[in-house]
Amino acid sequence: MFAALTGLGLSTAAGLNAYIPLLVVGVLANFTDAVKLPDGYSWLSNWGVLAVIAVLLVAEFVLDKVPAVDSVNDTIQTVVRPASGGVVFSATSAAAELDHSTWMTEHPWAGWLLGIVMALAVHAIKATARPMINVGTAGVGAPVVSTIEDAGSFGMSVVAVFAPVLVIVALLALAVLAWWSIRRVRRFRARRKAARGQL
């Protein structure tokens, strides 16, 4: 149960920012016993790999805060974020063994699939809402929203590792936010369509 919540929390974080949960898991694996990487994932704690992830994180941090550029970045991240979600979910499979989940141990692809789907769903909401925010705020909202997303990704990563039961609360809050965002996007598109019809 806790392993699944940890995996879901980390993959959700990856949907907001692909590199933050990877970095959190890798660093914690080096300095604490909170993360024990399973066989095949030791590379995630390698300092060379973490340095590359850190560089990619800095690039993402900057690009995602520039209006219009953020949309191009989101297009590229459509592959990267789900892949990251699959990795961080699977990298917690050691915790699944503590949960005595024989099925998860025998079917490692399930962790990958769950992580990919979760990260992709969060990414899709983010990528759909961002253009609307940029237009609605004349670009001013991009850096603000991006900073909130980065903080959310970091917070969710830490919570997923140290207090996985709180992931349930975070996922419920995210579901409400997703519902609200989808409604806003639909209204925004309807207004733009109506405005074009009046021209």
Side-chain angles (χ1 to χ4, degrees):
M1 175 66 178
F2 288 123
L5 290 175
T6 297
L8 286 172
L10 288 170
S11 55
T12 298
L16 293 172
N17 187 306
Y19 309 110
I20 289 175
L22 290 173
L23 207 55
V24 167
V25 168
V27 170
L28 289 177
N30 278 310
F31 289 112
T32 72
D33 292 328
V35 174
K36 295 179 182 178
L37 298 173
D39 293 338
Y41 289 90
S42 58
W43 58 269
L44 193 52
S45 62
N46 179 282
W47 286 111
V49 171
L50 292 175
V52 172
I53 293 173
V55 170
L56 293 171
L57 174 59
V58 171
E60 163 87 354
F61 187 83
V62 174
L63 294 173
D64 199 49
K65 290 169 178 58
V66 181
V69 175
D70 61 349
S71 293
V72 175
N73 181 55
D74 278 339
T75 301
I76 296 169
Q77 294 294 325
T78 300
V79 175
V80 180
R81 289 175 186 148
S84 173
V87 169
V88 291
F89 196 110
S90 298
T92 61
S93 67
E97 292 174 14
L98 293 178
D99 285 352
H100 305 294
S101 176
T102 306
W103 192 88
M104 286 291 287
T105 303
E106 293 175 352
H107 302 85
W109 58 266
W112 272 91
L113 184 61
L114 284 170
I116 288 170
V117 169
M118 194 68 190
L120 183 59
V122 174
H123 164 74
I125 294 168
K126 168 185 164 73
T128 302
R130 186 59 73 83
M132 179 191 72
I133 293 169
N134 288 344
V135 172
T137 63
V140 176
V144 176
V145 173
S146 178
T147 301
I148 292 171
E149 290 168 351
D150 291 340
S153 180
F154 178 75
M156 180 66 95
S157 298
V158 172
V159 165
V161 172
F162 292 107
V165 72
L166 294 180
V167 169
I168 297 171
V169 177
L171 290 176
L172 288 173
L174 186 64
V176 171
L177 181 61
W179 173 78
W180 179 80
S181 298
I182 290 168
R183 287 191 64 187
R184 296 279 295 186
V185 167
R186 286 178 177 171
R187 288 178 184 173
F188 177 75
R189 288 178 175 169
R191 283 197 299 268
R192 288 191 73 179
K193 189 174 181 180
R196 286 174 185 167
Q198 292 174 356
L199 296 177

